[in-house]
Amino acid sequence: MNKDIATPARTREILNKYGFSFKKSLGQNFLIDTNILRRIVDFAELSNETGVIEIGPGIGALTEQLARQAKKVISFEIDQRLLPILADTLSLYSNIRIIHQDVLKANIQHIIDEELAEIHDIMVVANLPYYVTTPIIMKLLTDRLPIRGIVVMLQKEVADRISASPGTKDYGSLSIAIQYYTKAETVMNVPRTVFMPQPNVDSAVIRLTKREKPAVEVVDESFFFQVVRASFGQRRKTILNNLISHLPNGKQQKENIERGLADSGIDSKRRGETLTIQEFAALSNRLVDIFE
Ligand code: SAM
């Protein structure tokens, strides 16, 4: 087996060889601990039949660990300066394809059709660039890709919000958006010391297992998410006041909103953060019917 990339000495050697300087604006904090990397890979439960989509390979620390377990790894990297480095560090692996692209602009379904056509088990595994964690996860879910799940490292604070339950301070529209599509768990906390350079936040690894169908049945998905976002508009306000202030034409629809809440058995004085995803679904399904 090749020498691991993710040790402090080898990472420094690679960075020096290429005179590479980190770009903070691209969220470049590389992992330098192979034990953490192996645990991330274990959480993804890969087999030699699995295709992996990685976002941001950096100098290839996680990529090589994935390539050892999976059938094929497709990895999106935005920073052109890393391409010659990756060609060198990953030269011994024939099952890795690096795509030089901003993942947020990529047509991932098209890449899956082209690169992973024969593969039926697809996982996303990454140490995400922290400045775009939420847009990346939301894109992966709303693009309705044929993936089994997502195992990613991100800021602990965002991991807490993603896996939060109703009635807690972290629960909000992000928890609901992600739990609508997946079962979300925080599987590991990670100290800042295992990165080069060290980020100024703590990190965690989450596992999102895609549901066969969304957690709740909604008549109009985009209206459901509008109701959820409006309900959390200002956390200290009641759900009624938030819906009036933040739904389009909310003021004119005041009576309909009151009726919708009553018909769904939701006290209009409750706060959005106390509602379960089932209650949000019932409410939005009722409101979509009676809104003018
Ligand atoms: N996987 C490596 C590791 O664990 O050491 C590097 C992870 S580093 C946190 C994030 C990586 O994502 C960097 O290589 C960065 O250049 C890349 N990146 C940042 N924004 C990106 C984007 N929009 N699309 C693709 N890659 C991006």
Side-chain angles (χ1 to χ4, degrees):
M1 200 174 280
N2 314 316
K3 218 162 63 165
D4 285 318
I5 295 169
T7 62
R10 177 95 201 282
T11 300
R12 233 174 266 118
E13 181 191 311
I14 295 166
L15 298 176
N16 288 342
K17 177 170 170 192
Y18 289 92
F20 183 83
S21 52
F22 294 101
K23 269 200 188 146
K24 211 173 166 190
S25 62
L26 291 180
Q28 292 179 337
N29 301 93
F30 297 169
L31 273 164
I32 48 165
D33 184 320
T34 45
N35 287 326
I36 299 274
L37 285 167
R38 289 200 194 106
R39 289 187 63 196
I40 296 175
V41 175
D42 284 349
F43 287 123
E45 295 175 356
L46 308 178
S47 78
N48 55 9
E49 298 294 312
T50 310
V52 175
I53 298 171
E54 189 197 10
I55 295 134
I59 57 171
L62 177 59
T63 325
E64 74 171 351
Q65 305 288 339
L66 293 167
R68 287 178 192 163
Q69 305 282 328
K71 187 173 175 82
K72 190 164 181 187
V73 181
I74 308 293
S75 192
F76 292 92
E77 176 54 63
I78 198 171
D79 188 349
Q80 183 152 24
R81 299 171 308 151
L82 289 165
L83 303 187
I85 306 182
L86 288 161
D88 176 7
T89 58
L90 301 175
S91 64
L92 295 173
Y93 299 89
S94 56
N95 59 344
I96 298 174
R97 164 95 206 277
I98 305 288
I99 298 179
H100 176 218
Q101 201 173 13
D102 176 347
V103 72
L104 289 174
K105 297 195 180 132
N107 182 340
I108 304 177
Q109 181 62 61
H110 181 71
I111 306 271
I112 290 176
D113 293 341
E114 283 199 337
E115 299 285 339
L116 303 174
E118 306 295 307
I119 296 181
H120 303 294
D121 181 46
I122 302 177
M123 281 297 288
V124 176
V125 186
N127 169 18
L128 289 177
Y130 289 0
Y131 74 106
V132 275
T133 329
T134 311
I136 291 176
I137 297 177
M138 288 314 297
K139 176 180 165 70
L140 293 169
L141 297 176
T142 54
D143 278 3
R144 305 274 166 130
L145 303 171
I147 56 175
R148 167 161 56 90
I150 301 176
V151 172
V152 282
M153 169 110 77
L154 33 61
Q155 307 92 307
K156 181 168 184 315
E157 172 244 322
V158 179
D160 289 344
R161 281 167 46 213
I162 286 176
S163 47
S165 309
T168 63
K169 73 169 178 23
D170 291 321
Y171 184 67
S173 49
L174 181 64
S175 331
I176 292 170
I178 291 188
Q179 293 173 28
Y180 176 74
Y181 298 105
T182 70
K183 183 168 128 329
E185 325 154 75
T186 297
V187 289
M188 175 166 68
N189 288 325
V190 179
R192 356 186 142 183
T193 47
V194 300
F195 297 90
M196 188 188 288
Q198 288 188 20
N200 44 20
V201 292
D202 287 319
S203 299
V205 176
I206 56 165
R207 176 166 55 196
L208 306 177
T209 308
K210 220 172 92 198
R211 298 179 191 276
E212 263 172 42
K213 51 187 180 58
V216 285
E217 260 181 59
V218 296
V219 176
D220 179 334
E221 214 166 75
S222 91
F223 185 68
F224 166 72
F225 286 118
Q226 244 182 359
V227 169
V228 170
R229 277 193 302 272
S231 304
F232 288 100
Q234 281 156 284
R235 291 189 80 98
R236 293 161 67 92
K237 276 193 177 179
T238 63
I239 183 151
L240 174 64
N241 286 338
N242 262 329
L243 292 173
I244 291 171
S245 313
H246 300 289
L247 276 182
N249 296 326
K251 283 201 184 70
Q252 291 90 311
Q253 301 275 4
K254 181 170 184 262
E255 278 173 23
N256 283 333
I257 295 173
E258 284 172 331
R259 183 145 69 94
L261 284 164
D263 290 354
S264 324
I266 298 166
D267 183 336
S268 60
K269 291 198 189 65
R270 281 172 66 185
R271 297 211 174 126
E273 70 210 50
T274 68
L275 267 68
T276 61
I277 191 167
Q278 288 75 16
E279 288 179 308
F280 276 116
L283 175 62
S284 81
N285 287 345
R286 186 73 194 106
L287 286 178
V288 82
D289 259 1
I290 57 181
F291 253 46
E292 283 148 11

